[in-house]
Amino acid sequence: QVQLVESGGGSVQAGGSLRLSCAASGYTSSRNCMGWFRQAPGKERDGVAVIDTYGSPSYADSVKGRFTISRDNAKNTLYLQMNSLKAEDTAMYYCALVFRFNCPFSPAEYNYWGQGTRVTVSS
């Protein structure tokens, strides 16, 4: 059974940094996409960044140049380094996984989800 457990959220002032982690377990296939998604109160869940098995990333325009997604396949762990945080980055952040080569940005395409970790950025 696939399990995803996020950590690293918290409260930070605008301009600060946070690093999210997602520990994955319960699967053997290395052919997968992993991603970070976020959902602010009253809004839909949106893609933040996704990364394929080989480490090739894609980012939402709103986070390009500020966020970096990475993964350690040996540890089955996904990361999101968030710098220059803004108040509008405040949301619940979720880790997700899907077993496919081409990594979609739509949350609807992902099969497995973590419980989320909250990020609050104060201005």
Side-chain angles (χ1 to χ4, degrees):
Q1 182 178 356
V2 176
Q3 287 191 322
L4 303 172
V5 180
E6 302 96 335
S7 61
S11 296
V12 65
Q13 289 191 332
S17 298
L18 283 173
R19 189 192 196 205
L20 306 183
S21 298
C22 172
S25 62
Y27 64 94
T28 57
S29 174
S30 61
R31 184 181 299 182
N32 62 72
C33 296
M34 298 188 76
W36 289 100
F37 299 81
R38 66 186 181 187
Q39 187 167 17
K43 295 189 176 182
E44 294 184 350
R45 191 171 297 188
D46 292 324
V48 175
V50 299
I51 189 167
D52 67 14
T53 299
Y54 304 105
S56 180
S58 295
Y59 297 95
D61 287 343
S62 59
V63 306
K64 281 181 181 177
R66 299 189 298 122
F67 291 9
T68 302
I69 189 172
S70 61
R71 61 189 293 170
D72 185 332
N73 291 336
K75 296 181 178 179
N76 281 348
T77 302
L78 179 72
Y79 303 99
L80 185 69
Q81 178 66 44
M82 305 186 295
N83 298 328
S84 302
L85 282 161
K86 304 176 181 180
E88 50 263 45
D89 295 319
T90 295
M92 185 72 82
Y93 282 71
Y94 298 90
C95 169
L97 179 147
V98 62
F99 292 108
R100 55 187 286 182
F101 254 144
N102 297 317
C103 296
F105 227 77
S106 169
E109 302 286 336
Y110 286 77
N111 306 111
Y112 303 98
W113 292 86
Q115 293 300 307
T117 184
R118 187 171 299 278
V119 172
T120 303
V121 184
S122 57
S123 56

